[in-house]
Amino acid sequence: MAETAQRVERLAMEAVLAAERALGYEPADVSRENRGYDIESHHPPDPQAPLRFIEVKGRIQGAPTVTLTRNELLCALNKQAQWILALVQVPPSDAVGEAPVVRYVAAHHVARDPGFAAVGVNLDLDRLWEVGYPPTP
């Protein structure tokens, strides 16, 4: 189980980093720094462009929910214009021809105060996927 979770997390991060690079951004993995997001991405051709704060959530295809931590929710709430939730559907195996699928969800769909005692909040993955969009600048 832990091996599967690590595989999903690794593939999801790789997919979002690649998507950001394909859009002309320079992403940096900051996931170990507990900032409320996993990737900080900037756009070198436009020095005035704001940083993008991307929280990556990789899930095996068919998973029903995604969990956002208190820290992630508060970051989305406080940095709505810059914060993005990247949902990544990861195939159940490393079969040839199957690649992770990335969709971005704007912060306003998830940004909220989680409440005093909340550690995190479970959200319906299908509903988030519906309001998501392919990675764009």
Side-chain angles (χ1 to χ4, degrees):
M1 182 75 168
E3 186 175 302
T4 299
Q6 288 175 345
R7 175 186 162 273
V8 169
E9 183 177 322
R10 177 182 52 79
L11 291 174
M13 285 292 288
E14 288 173 1
V16 176
L17 289 167
E20 285 294 292
R21 287 186 192 106
L23 293 170
Y25 285 80
E26 290 185 4
D29 181 345
V30 296
S31 59
R32 297 182 195 269
E33 298 175 26
N34 199 30
R35 296 181 180 187
Y37 54 91
D38 296 313
I39 295 172
E40 195 169 272
S41 193
H42 75 280
H43 197 245
D46 182 2
Q48 301 302 317
L51 287 172
R52 291 157 60 106
F53 305 130
I54 305 170
E55 175 56 33
V56 178
K57 295 293 181 183
R59 305 294 286 155
I60 291 286
Q61 291 172 344
T65 61
V66 64
T67 302
L68 293 179
T69 67
R70 175 181 182 79
N71 191 35
E72 293 160 356
L73 289 166
L74 291 174
C75 188
L77 182 63
N78 292 319
K79 299 182 185 297
Q80 285 192 46
Q82 295 171 271
W83 194 92
I84 299 167
L85 173 61
L87 299 174
V88 184
Q89 281 189 352
V90 176
S93 69
D94 291 325
V96 174
E98 291 190 58
V101 178
V102 179
R103 289 188 63 88
Y104 284 178
V105 177
H108 70 270
H109 290 293
V110 299
R112 63 177 171 183
D113 185 338
F116 171 73
V119 175
V121 175
N122 288 330
L123 302 171
D124 184 292
L125 185 57
D126 288 337
R127 291 185 72 189
L128 289 174
W129 195 263
E130 287 174 13
V131 299
Y133 52 91
T136 58

